[in-house]
C-alpha cells in the first residue's frame, strides 16, 4: 500500500490540528485542547489551571509561526506567547508545538515544555512573595529624619502602630539540579508615614544638644500643637514627653496668669527683697538672696523674684485659684502624642500656706514635663492651649485615644504675659544671653529631691515655641539658656 494511500486515511492535517489547539488555548478551552493531544496526562487540565492560578495569569496571547514538516507523519509549529501576570505585567515566552500522526489522526505530542520551556525535565515555576521594608517615619516635609536626631525612642514607639506590610514578588524558576533563578521581581515601594517633626527644627534641636548629657529640647507649633522637634538626651530612662519634674520659675507663667486674673496689674509696684517670710510661716529667698527693691509686677517676673511671687500669691489667691489656672493651661489633661500619653502637669490641693508658697514658684507639689512647659509657652504665644502631638490627629486618636479640646485663654491675661515674657529677654534673667530678636521667654531653676538643680528655659518666637530642660544641670540661665541660643541660631 502506498504512503499516499495511508495519508489519505489520516484525519485532518497538522495545520488544522495546530490551529484548533492554539484557538482553544487562547480562549481557555482546556478540555478542547486535551481532545487534540495524544494520550494527555491525567493532570493535563490541572497543570494548565494550576499554572494560571499560581502565577496569577490574567491573560495569554499566542503567536504561532509557520508550520514545518519534520517527517512524513510529524510536524512542528514554533510559537511565541505573552502571559500577562498580575504582579509583573507582560511575560513573553517561546516554545514549540509538536505534532504527529497517531491513531490515524494528527495529534499534539504534548509535554510540560509546551506550556513553558522552563517546565522541561521536572522544572517548576513559582510565584513567591517577601515582605518589603518596614514603614519609614519621615518629617512633615516627607524628608528623612535627621541623623542623630535624639528622637529615636519616640519614633520606635510610633513605628508598630503605623507599620504596613507591603509585599514584594518574585517569579522563580526551579530546575532540578540547578540553583533557583529569579526571573522577575517586583520590589514594593517603601511606605512613608509623615510625623509632625520639621526637618530643620529637629536638626537644630539635636545639634543644640550635641555634647550635652541629660537634657532635652521640645519645640511646638503654637497654632496647631504639632511637635516640630523632640530632641531627648535625658538619661536614666527619663522622657521629655512623659516624665514630670519640678518646673521651678517657669511655672511663674501660670502663677502670673492667676494673679493677673485676680486683678493685679503688670505695672503695680511691689517689694522684691532677697528673702521673705510668710507671717508665722516659712521663709523664701531669691537666687543668691538678690534683692531688687521696689519693682513692677512685670519686672518681678522678669527678674524671677521668688519673694514677690510668694507674697502676692499668699495675699491675693488660694491654692484652688492656682490649680484652676493651671488646668486652663493644660495641667491635669492627658496629652496623647501618638508615641504615648501622659499628664501635662500636676499640682495637689492644699490648705497649707507654706505649700502654696512653694507651688507658686514651681516647687512643692508642682510637676510638669518639658513637653507640657513647651505647650504652655505655645499657649502664651497663640492664645489657645493645645495638646502637643507627634502625628496627625486621626492617627493620634487611633493610637492613644482622643485629644483634649483646645482651651481659649483670656486675652487680657495673654497681652500682659507676653509683655512680661519679653521683659525677661530684654532686661531680666535672660538678658544679654545672645537670644535673637523677637524671642520672649522665662528662665527657671528648680530644686530637685534627687540631686542638683534642674535648669529650664521656655520661650517662643513667631509660630515656634519651645522648652529646654537640663536635668541636674544647674540654673536655667547657666544650663538651659545657652542651649536655647544654639537651637535658635541653628534654625
Amino acid at each position: 500500500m502506498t504512503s499516499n494511500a495511508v495519508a489519505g486515511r489520516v484525519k485532518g492535517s497538522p495545520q488544522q490540528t495546530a490551529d484548533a489547539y492554539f484557538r482553544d488555548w487562547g480562549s481557555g478551552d482546556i478540555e478542547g485542547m486535551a481532545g487534540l493531544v495524544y494520550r494527555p496526562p491525567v493532570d493535563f487540565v490541572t497543570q494548565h489551571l494550576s499554572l494560571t492560578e499560581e502565577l496569577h495569569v490574567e491573560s495569554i496571547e499566542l503567536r504561532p509561526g509557520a508550520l514545518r514538516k519534520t517527517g512524513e507523519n510529524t510536524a512542528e509549529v514554533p510559537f511565541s506567547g505573552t502571559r500577562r501576570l498580575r504582579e509583573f505585567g507582560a511575560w513573553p515566552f517561546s516554545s514549540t508545538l509538536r505534532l504527529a500522526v497517531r491513531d490515524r489522526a494528527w495529534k499534539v505530542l504534548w509535554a510540560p515544555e509546551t506550556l513553558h520551556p522552563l517546565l522541561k525535565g521536572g522544572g517548576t515555576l513559582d510565584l513567591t512573595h517577601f515582605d518589603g521594608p518596614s514603614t519609614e517615619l519621615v518629617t512633615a516635609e516627607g524628608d528623612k529624619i535627621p541623623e542623630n536626631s535624639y528622637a529615636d525612642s519616640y519614633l520606635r514607639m510610633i513605628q508598630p502602630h503605623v507599620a504596613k506590610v507591603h509585599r514584594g514578588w518574585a517569579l522563580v524558576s526551579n530546575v532540578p539540579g540547578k540553583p533557583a533563578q529569579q526571573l522577575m521581581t517586583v520590589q514594593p515601594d517603601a511606605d512613608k508615614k509623615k510625623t509632625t517633626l520639621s526637618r530643620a527644627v529637629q536638626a537644630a534641636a539635636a545639634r543644640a544638644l550635641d555634647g550635652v548629657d541629660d537634657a532635652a529640647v521640645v519645640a511646638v507649633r503654637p497654632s496647631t500643637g504639632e511637635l516640630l522637634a523632640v530632641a531627648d538626651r535625658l538619661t536614666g530612662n527619663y522622657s521629655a514627653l512623659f516624665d514630670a519634674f519640678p518646673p521651678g520659675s517657669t511655672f511663674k507663667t501660670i502663677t502670673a496668669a492667676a494673679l493677673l486674673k485676680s486683678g493685679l496689674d503688670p505695672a503695680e509696684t511691689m517689694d522684691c527683697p532677697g528673702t521673705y517670710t510668710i507671717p508665722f510661716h516659712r521663709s523664701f529667698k531669691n537666687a543668691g538672696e538678690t534683692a531688687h527693691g521696689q519693682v513692677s509686677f512685670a519686672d518681678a517676673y522678669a527678674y524671677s523674684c521668688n519673694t514677690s511671687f510668694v507674697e502676692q500669691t499668699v495675699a491675693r489667691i488660694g491654692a484652688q485659684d492656682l490649680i484652676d489656672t493651671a488646668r486652663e493651661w493644660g495641667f491635669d489633661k492627658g496629652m496623647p502624642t501618638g508615641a504615648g500619653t501622659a499628664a501635662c502637669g500636676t499640682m495637689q490641693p492644699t490648705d497649707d500656706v507654706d505649700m502654696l508658697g512653694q507651688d507658686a514658684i514651681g516647687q512643692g507639689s508642682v510637676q510638669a514635663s518639658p513637653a507640657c512647659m513647651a505647650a504652655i509657652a505655645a499657649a502664651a504665644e497663640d492664645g489657645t492651649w493645645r495638646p502637643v502631638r507627634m502625628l496627625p490627629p486621626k492617627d493620634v486618636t487611633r493610637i492613644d485615644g482622643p485629644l483634649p479640646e483646645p482651651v481659649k485663654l483670656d486675652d487680657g491675661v495673654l497681652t500682659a504675659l507676653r509683655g512680661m515674657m519679653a521683659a525677661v529677654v530684654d532686661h531680666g534673667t535672660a538678658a544679654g544671653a545672645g537670644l535673637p530678636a523677637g524671642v520672649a521667654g522665662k528662665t527657671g531653676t528648680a530644686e530637685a529631691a534627687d540631686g542638683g538643680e534642674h535648669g529650664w528655659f521656655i520661650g517662643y518666637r513667631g509660630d515656634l515655641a519651645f522648652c529646654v530642660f537640663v536635668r541636674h544641670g544647674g540654673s536655667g540661665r547657666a544650663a538651659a539658656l545657652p542651649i536655647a541660643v544654639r537651637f535658635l541660631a541653628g534654625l
Side-chain angles (χ1 to χ4, degrees):
M1 188 177 292
T2 67
S3 59
N4 287 336
V6 173
R9 284 190 256 159
V10 173
K11 184 179 179 182
S13 69
Q15 189 68 61
Q16 289 173 331
T17 300
D19 289 346
Y21 189 85
F22 285 121
R23 184 173 58 251
D24 289 347
W25 192 357
S27 66
D29 184 0
I30 303 173
E31 294 286 352
M33 293 165 64
L36 297 167
V37 173
Y38 176 68
R39 295 182 181 176
V42 293
D43 61 348
F44 178 85
V45 173
T46 302
Q47 286 194 56
H48 283 74
L49 292 177
S50 295
L51 188 72
T52 297
E53 181 179 345
E54 291 171 9
L55 301 190
H56 300 170
V57 178
E58 295 180 324
S59 64
I60 186 168
E61 178 187 350
L62 301 164
R63 295 176 293 278
L67 182 143
R68 58 176 178 256
K69 295 292 292 289
T70 55
E72 187 175 357
N73 296 314
T74 58
E76 64 182 20
V77 180
F79 69 94
S80 62
T82 301
R83 288 181 173 91
R84 179 159 293 277
L85 309 187
R86 186 174 67 203
E87 280 71 32
F88 301 98
W91 179 40
F93 70 103
S94 298
S95 190
T96 301
L97 187 72
R98 291 181 171 82
L99 305 104
V101 175
R102 295 289 188 272
D103 298 334
R104 291 184 296 178
W106 280 98
K107 291 284 189 177
V108 172
L109 301 182
W110 189 88
E113 56 264 36
T114 310
L115 193 54
H116 194 284
L118 290 173
L119 298 176
K120 184 176 181 178
T124 61
L125 291 166
D126 301 294
L127 184 64
T128 63
H129 61 80
F130 53 90
D131 289 343
S134 60
T135 300
E136 180 186 9
L137 290 166
V138 296
T139 67
E141 304 89 352
D143 299 325
K144 286 186 175 294
I145 304 292
E147 294 290 331
N148 302 315
S149 67
Y150 308 134
D152 293 345
S153 61
Y154 303 109
L155 297 173
R156 284 194 296 269
M157 293 176 193
I158 293 172
Q159 189 79 43
H161 299 289
V162 300
K164 295 180 181 178
V165 176
H166 291 269
R167 284 180 169 176
W169 295 91
L171 182 60
V172 180
S173 168
N174 292 285
V175 176
K178 294 183 179 181
Q181 179 185 5
Q182 286 193 353
L183 306 176
M184 293 191 290
T185 59
V186 173
Q187 294 288 341
D189 292 334
D191 191 40
K192 292 184 178 182
K193 178 65 180 179
K194 287 184 179 181
T195 65
T196 62
L197 300 179
S198 158
R199 188 184 189 285
V201 180
Q202 183 65 48
R207 300 296 69 81
L209 288 184
D210 285 342
V212 182
D213 292 326
D214 221 0
V217 177
V218 179
V220 179
R221 192 188 306 279
S223 59
T224 63
E226 294 167 307
L227 277 166
L228 300 177
V230 53
D232 189 340
R233 296 200 70 190
L234 295 175
T235 60
N237 291 320
Y238 285 106
S239 163
L241 297 190
F242 309 124
D243 287 312
F245 310 88
S249 292
T250 58
F251 186 75
K252 286 175 183 166
T253 306
I254 302 299
T255 308
L259 289 169
L260 289 164
K261 284 168 58 179
S262 76
L264 184 58
D265 190 276
E268 186 168 335
T269 59
M270 58 193 64
D271 195 22
C272 176
T275 61
Y276 170 73
T277 301
I278 300 173
F280 308 110
H281 288 275
R282 62 159 288 180
S283 295
F284 293 84
K285 62 183 180 180
N286 293 332
E289 297 189 39
T290 302
H292 291 278
Q294 287 289 306
V295 296
S296 67
F297 176 40
D299 281 348
Y301 179 88
Y303 299 137
S304 204
C305 292
N306 289 339
T307 53
S308 303
F309 267 75
V310 170
E311 181 180 16
Q312 294 298 321
T313 298
V314 171
R316 289 176 174 271
I317 60 175
Q320 192 58 48
D321 298 313
L322 195 53
I323 288 172
D324 290 344
T325 302
R327 284 175 176 164
E328 279 187 293
W329 289 71
F331 268 51
D332 289 337
K333 289 185 174 69
M335 286 205 305
T337 64
T341 303
C344 175
T346 57
M347 176 185 166
Q348 302 303 317
T350 183
D351 293 327
D352 181 352
V353 293
D354 288 340
M355 180 61 71
L356 176 59
Q358 293 180 71
D359 289 342
I361 57 174
Q363 298 283 170
S365 70
V366 178
Q367 298 276 309
S369 69
C372 181
M373 298 312 298
I376 286 170
E381 191 283 330
D382 182 71
T384 298
W385 178 87
R386 292 181 174 86
V388 300
R389 53 183 173 79
M390 207 167 169
L391 290 172
K394 65 178 182 180
D395 292 309
V396 174
T397 299
R398 175 177 58 83
I399 295 168
D400 289 331
L403 290 156
E405 291 296 320
V407 178
K408 181 73 175 70
L409 302 170
D410 182 272
D411 288 337
V413 169
L414 289 164
T415 299
L417 267 180
R418 289 168 187 150
M420 294 163 73
M421 293 177 77
V424 171
V425 177
D426 179 67
H427 57 270
T429 54
L435 290 167
V439 175
K442 182 70 186 81
T443 57
T445 305
E447 297 175 3
D450 59 345
E453 295 173 326
H454 300 321
W456 295 80
F457 185 69
I458 64 172
Y460 62 81
R461 181 177 63 168
D463 202 18
L464 172 73
F466 58 90
C467 172
V468 177
F469 173 65
V470 186
R471 183 171 169 265
H472 301 319
S475 72
R477 180 177 175 89
L481 199 50
I483 296 172
V485 172
R486 290 199 297 275
F487 164 57
L488 293 169
L491 294 174

